[in-house]
């Protein structure tokens, strides 16, 4: 059993709730955006590394580490990325910058943030886009993040794209943390939700000078 986590976005309180909710798993696959937006980028990144997580780069990871793509961010996202850059050590930034954009950790699965076609930036919200994006890889199964919306897309030719949703900033109207359990052998996916202390994360965000809009949205999961 593999735990699929994505878009933790420096929400350590949410990550701890998800880790506490997990059954025994063989591995953690993390589809990027470990930092950006939230209050605890350093501790969030450290905890995932401590747990031996398999990590790929998200667009926020890259922007925080190197400034790449920062100009494409909205003002609040950019303000958070600029703060995160100063809160991380140069070693943290080097590790983030060195994260691969795609990995094939096991079972014929390709893991990336956006899509096999555009691993850092493409948003896949429907099955037809998933089918087109998966034409870029020989892998028949793929795990992605980036949209912050949990989904399992099955294409006409039998390919599967799994998105576990976001641990740290859900955007499907449900404020609970999202993650998924994957049985590699059978391909079975279980999309899961877990409550976390949203108020605690919001307080940390305000205390650390992050934009109010980023804290407020966590109440609504939008
Ligand atoms: Zn994200």
């Amino acid at each position: 059993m593999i735990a699929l986590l994505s878009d933790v976005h420096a929400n350590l309180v949410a990550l701890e709730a998800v880790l506490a909710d997990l059954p025994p798993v063989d591995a953690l696959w993390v589809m990027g955006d470990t930092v950006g937006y939230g209050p605890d980028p350093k501790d969030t990144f450290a905890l995932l590394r401590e747990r031996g997580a398999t990590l790929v780069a998200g667009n926020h990871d890259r922007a925080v580490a190197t400034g790449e793509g920062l100009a494409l961010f909205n003002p609040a996202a950019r303000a958070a990325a600029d703060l995160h850059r100063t809160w991380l050590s140069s070693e943290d930034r080097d590790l983030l910058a060195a994260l691969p954009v795609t990995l094939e950790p096991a079972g014929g699965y390709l893991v990336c943030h956006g899509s096999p076609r555009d691993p850092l930036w493409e948003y896949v919200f429907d099955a037809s886009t998933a089918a087109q994006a998966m034409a870029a890889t020989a892998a028949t199964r793929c795990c992605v993040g980036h949209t912050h919306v949990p989904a399992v897309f099955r294409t006409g030719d039998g390919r599967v794209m799994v998105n576990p949703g976001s641990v740290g900033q859900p955007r499907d109207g449900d404020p609970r943390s999202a993650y998924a359990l994957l049985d590699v052998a059978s391909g079975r996916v279980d999309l899961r939700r877990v409550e976390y202390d949203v108020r605690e994360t919001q307080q940390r965000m305000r205390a650390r000078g992050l934009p109010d809009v980023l804290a407020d949205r966590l109440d609504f999961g939008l």
Side-chain angles (χ1 to χ4, degrees), residues 15-23 179 181 192-194:
L15 175 60
E16 287 172 338
V18 165
L19 293 177
D21 192 58
L22 289 181
Y179 73 98
L181 294 173
R192 296 170 65 112
R193 304 304 282 248
V194 58

Side-chain angles (χ1 to χ4, degrees), residues 7 9 32-33 35 37 59-60 113 146-148 166 169 171:
D7 297 273
H9 280 301
D33 280 5
V35 302
Y37 293 131
N59 57 313
H60 284 256
H113 183 60
H146 195 39
T147 64
H148 299 208
S166 172
Q169 193 204 75
R171 292 182 191 161

Side-chain angles (χ1 to χ4, degrees), residues 107-109 127-128 130-132 134-135 137-142 152-162 184-189:
Y109 278 81
S128 67
Q132 291 164 25
M134 287 194 73
T137 177
T140 57
R141 294 169 171 190
C142 181
V152 180
F153 299 120
R154 296 180 196 280
T155 69
D157 59 355
R159 294 172 160 217
V160 180
M161 181 182 280
V162 180
V184 169
S186 69
R188 188 186 150 77
V189 178

Side-chain angles (χ1 to χ4, degrees), residues 62-220:
R62 194 57 73 79
V64 168
T66 72
E68 181 189 324
L70 205 53
L72 299 170
F73 283 9
N74 66 50
R78 184 173 183 150
D82 285 338
L83 286 170
H84 283 197
R85 191 172 173 76
T86 67
W87 297 344
L88 293 170
S89 66
S90 62
E91 187 196 358
D92 292 329
R93 292 195 298 268
D94 288 348
L95 288 168
L96 272 180
L99 291 176
V101 293
T102 62
L103 280 175
E104 297 192 33
Y109 278 81
L110 182 131
V111 173
C112 63
H113 183 60
S115 82
R117 180 164 63 181
D118 184 352
L120 283 180
W121 288 98
E122 183 172 23
Y123 291 96
V124 178
F125 281 108
D126 58 68
S128 67
T129 308
Q132 291 164 25
M134 287 194 73
T137 177
T140 57
R141 294 169 171 190
C142 181
C143 301
V144 302
H146 195 39
T147 64
H148 299 208
V149 176
V152 180
F153 299 120
R154 296 180 196 280
T155 69
D157 59 355
R159 294 172 160 217
V160 180
M161 181 182 280
V162 180
N163 187 327
S166 172
V167 170
Q169 193 204 75
R171 292 182 191 161
D172 62 346
D174 182 343
R176 296 175 299 167
S177 288
Y179 73 98
L181 294 173
L182 168 68
D183 183 76
V184 169
S186 69
R188 188 186 150 77
V189 178
D190 185 10
L191 298 173
R192 296 170 65 112
R193 304 304 282 248
V194 58
E195 303 257 8
Y196 75 96
D197 189 345
V198 173
R199 191 65 53 85
E200 170 65 22
T201 294
Q202 290 171 322
Q203 283 171 356
R204 292 185 191 188
M205 291 175 77
R206 295 196 168 98
R208 292 170 194 182
L210 288 157
D212 280 333
V213 64
L214 297 180
D216 293 342
R217 70 188 296 176
L218 297 178
D219 278 326
F220 309 105

